Amino acid sequence: MSHSLFSLGFGVGTQNRQGAWLEVFYAQPLLNPSVEIVAAIAPILGYSEGNQAITFTVTLALQMADALKGVDATQAALLSRLAESHTPLVATLLADDAALTSTPEAYLKLHLLSHRLVKPHGLNLAGVFPQLPNVAWTSQGAIDIGELAERQLEARLRGELLEVFSVDKFPKMTDYVVPAGVRIADAARLRLGAYVGEGTTVMHEGFVNFNAGTEGPGMIEGRVSAGVFVGKGSDLGGGCSTMGTLSGGGNIVIKVGEGCLIGANAGIGIPLGDRNTVESGLYVTAGTKVALLDEQNQLVKVVKARELAGQPDLLFRRNSETGAVECKTHKSAIELNEALHAHN
């Protein structure tokens, strides 16, 4: 029987003392693996169909490594290394991109994003939160919250300090993957599941959530919230904010086009088209009333910001005398009216 899979990952992870998965590390996750790979390992794992996370022993790891030698040398080498493991091993096979039903599945999809195999909004992440346990991320790795106090005491009795870096569902991305061609000033501010494109610099105050990120190149000194994707050549100034789908943005997908600048302490609650600029300190939400000015600085009409969503070559600013939010464009009044009517 031949199988075609959406994704496959051989992982090594951490379980709590009851055997429940806390986290999984996939060194080389695969998107759309070849039928030959799946055919070679399926009988060894006892896989038949569907989305499954199957634990396996070091003995089975060696058997799969041997079966893959003439099929995929890279995955064969990985399985040979996994056979050295003293911690639990799991093979996660996803026949299709369905809602998540296990912790290893959730971790595989987060890896696909951070390995740049899939862009934000390219995966079905339904059910991700229930499948990610809240974990203490420590100097000794992932620890179940209910076991933390005992582990802290054990460490002290050995004369050691068990340091707790965070208590969260998501670990930091760089403990699992460091994408090529990026600079990250504070690794704790990027969650696993972030997509960080080549040429991206994330400074100390920058933050990138899961299922969000940057096409690259670009400079991130503000917050890229869940679901937000920043186009190439765009800069997010210090302390600026993008409203994610988890923070009141609802079903509107907030994205930032190419060549945009969001000034320091500014923010957006609408998608920006290419070459947009938002003045420092100005937060533009979907319902913000905006005075639309043409190339001669003449008022065309007052609109809600959502009507300007995705339009290119706009400058959002606040009038320093009246306090009104204004939007300047290179277009004439006639072109603007036509564009607005077409948008409606």
Side-chain angles (χ1 to χ4, degrees), residues 225-243:
S225 299
V228 177
F229 196 55
V230 179
K232 63 180 67 171
S234 289
D235 290 356
L236 272 61
C240 80
S241 171
T242 55
M243 188 182 292

Side-chain angles (χ1 to χ4, degrees), residues 5-11 26-38 41 68 71-72 74-76 78-79 92-94 108-109 111-113 115 117-118 123:
L5 291 183
F6 170 71
S7 183
L8 167 66
F10 301 109
Y26 300 96
Q28 295 162 358
L30 296 174
L31 185 68
N32 301 316
S34 72
V35 173
E36 291 77 16
I37 291 177
V38 185
I41 63 162
L68 286 176
V71 179
D72 188 305
T74 302
Q75 294 295 313
L78 171 61
L79 282 159
T92 303
L93 304 93
L94 302 182
L108 178 55
K109 287 194 175 181
H111 276 72
L112 292 176
L113 285 159
H115 276 269
L117 295 172
V118 183
L123 290 170

Side-chain angles (χ1 to χ4, degrees), residues 3 5 69 75 96 108 135 138 146 150 166 170 175 185 265 279 343:
H3 300 275
L5 291 183
K69 275 178 184 169
Q75 294 295 313
D96 50 51
L108 178 55
V135 168
T138 79
E150 187 178 348
S166 69
F170 293 82
D175 284 348
N265 296 318
E279 178 186 79
H343 184 67

Side-chain angles (χ1 to χ4, degrees), residues 5-23:
L5 291 183
F6 170 71
S7 183
L8 167 66
F10 301 109
V12 55
T14 309
Q15 294 176 330
N16 65 11
R17 288 171 177 170
Q18 284 72 50
W21 287 103
L22 300 179
E23 58 86 41

